[in-house]
């Protein structure tokens, strides 16, 4: 057990001393959790095999699940990726810095452990001053998965990070709550047509606006279990799940509300404590309700999604019932996370 140092930083103008200290930890092969615009990342020197191995250890992450490499400038892609097709350059110029991760063939510079043994590397340039300053000051690309225990909801505050990883990592840079609240969109450009591996902060419709067709599989929607080798190893594991049971209700808003009310009545009559992730201010007497916001403002819904799941879990409910949204724009990422949190327990209203 070690003590985890927590340094508060101004997210818009990070204190230079804090960044310098954190960069020192990274260069020495240590682990620093830091804010990005999506969620907090657990960073290590991406080129240091031993440092990256510790990421897997402290998260309890399966070794075949590769880690995203974070860079502080667009040109770093040429050091990490052996082939950068025009499609990648277009996406980079349109969406970087930002919540978009590109999967490309890797160069020899990137150690296999960082890429889960694959021949590809996932790269992204985050849109957050703390992340960018840390990468620059460290002088190396930073490998960073979400800074949670493997399988639990991704952290959107430094407190979440400490709850999962406190005492196991050297440092947390606390830059306050993250802006987007769900992780980056991951897109594989080594296949034709490009394939969405994980919906995230950049809606797939916007990527299609640049690339034309993008393949969106059932797995990317968070549906189904699949046999064989998934294209993105991360897709096969249960994810984003609190300790308690999660039930997702899908359908049109009116039917969803009716079904959720029915479930709340049924479960509470069995003596269960029920939490609801509600939308549009819906009320459910007898349940612990957190309103994620209006369906018309999915940015707000995404921002509070993980923190609300953690909150209900901590209040000790037995079951969380979640209202579903339409799979459009950020709705695709939100539904992917909710389906995975529910472990497939989805009801069509
Ligand atoms: O927003 C984010 O992407 C955050 C912040 C910290 O940047 N990071 C993040 O990392 O969510 P992680 O490790 O929790 O999720 C990375 C996802 C996993 O599903 C992983 O399997 C996939 O990206 N991935 C990484 N490298 C890959 C590769 N070479 N090929 C296919 N999938 C890859
Ligand atoms: Mg993760």
């Amino acid at each position: 057990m070690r003590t985890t140092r927590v340094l508060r930083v101004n997210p818009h103008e990070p204190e230079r001393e804090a960044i310098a200290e954190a960069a020192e930890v990274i260069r020495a092969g240590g682990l620093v959790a830091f804010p990005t615009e999506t969620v907090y990342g657990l960073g290590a020197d991406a080129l240091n095999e031993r440092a990256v191995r510790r990421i897997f250890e402290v998260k309890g992450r399966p070794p075949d699940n590769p880690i995203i490499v974070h860079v502080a400038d667009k040109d770093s892609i040429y050091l990490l990726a052996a082939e950068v097709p025009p499609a990648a350059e277009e996406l980079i110029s349109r969406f970087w810095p930002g919540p978009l991760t590109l999967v490309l063939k890797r160069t020899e510079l990137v150690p296999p452990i960082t890429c889960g043994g694959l021949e590809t590397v996932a790269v992204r340039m985050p849109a957050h001053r703390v992340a960018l300053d840390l990468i620059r000051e460290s002088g190396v690309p930073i490998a960073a998965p979400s800074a949670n225990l493997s399988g639990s909801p991704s952290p959107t505050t430094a407190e979440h990070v400490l709850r999962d990883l406190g005492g196991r990592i050297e440092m947390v840079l606390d830059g306050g709550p993250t802006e987007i609240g769900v992780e980056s969109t991951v897109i594989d450009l080594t296949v034709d047509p490009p394939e969405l591996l994980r919906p995230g902060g950049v809606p797939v419709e916007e990527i299609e606006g640049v690339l034309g067709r993008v393949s969106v599989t059932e797995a990317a929607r968070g549906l189904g279990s699949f046999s064989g080798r998934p294209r993105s190893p991360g897709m096969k594991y249960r994810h984003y799940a609190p300790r308690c049971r999660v039930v997702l209700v899908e359908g049109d808003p009116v039917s969803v509300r009716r079904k959720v009310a029915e479930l709340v009545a049924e479960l509470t009559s069995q003596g269960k404590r029920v939490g609801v992730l509600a939308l549009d201010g819906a009320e459910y007497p007898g349940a612990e309700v957190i309103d994620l916001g209006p369906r018309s403002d999915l940015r707000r819904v995404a921002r509070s999604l993980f923190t609300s799941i953690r909150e209900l879990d901590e209040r000790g409910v037995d079951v969380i019932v979640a209202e579903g949204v339409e799979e459009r724009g950020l709705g695709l990422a939100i539904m992917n996370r909710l389906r995975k949190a529910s472990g497939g327990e989805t009801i069509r209203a």
Side-chain angles (χ1 to χ4, degrees), residues 59 61 145-146 148 154 183 198 239-240:
K59 273 187 64 99
R61 185 179 180 96
S146 49
N148 51 293
S154 292
E183 304 88 335
R198 179 180 70 185
H239 261 115
Y240 315 118

Side-chain angles (χ1 to χ4, degrees), residues 34 36 38-42 59 61 64-68 70 99 101 103-104 114-115 118 120-122 124 126 144-148 154 182-186 188 197-198 231-235 239:
F34 60 95
T36 77
T38 57
V39 301
Y40 273 72
L42 177 59
K59 273 187 64 99
R61 185 179 180 96
D64 65 350
N65 192 2
I67 298 177
I68 296 171
H70 295 69
T101 297
V103 172
L104 296 165
T114 304
C115 305
L118 300 175
T120 54
V121 62
R124 104 168 174 100
S146 49
N148 51 293
S154 292
V182 293
E183 304 88 335
S184 63
T185 302
V186 182
D188 185 351
L197 296 180
R198 179 180 70 185
R231 299 208 38 82
S232 184
M235 297 195 301
H239 261 115

Side-chain angles (χ1 to χ4, degrees), residues 194-196 199 204 208 213-221 327 332:
E195 183 180 332
L196 178 72
V204 69
E208 282 170 333
R213 202 169 93 75
V214 170
S215 128
V216 178
T217 60
E218 300 268 290
R221 294 172 58 209
E327 287 175 281
L332 188 64

Side-chain angles (χ1 to χ4, degrees), residues 31 138 336:
L31 303 185
S138 303
N336 166 293

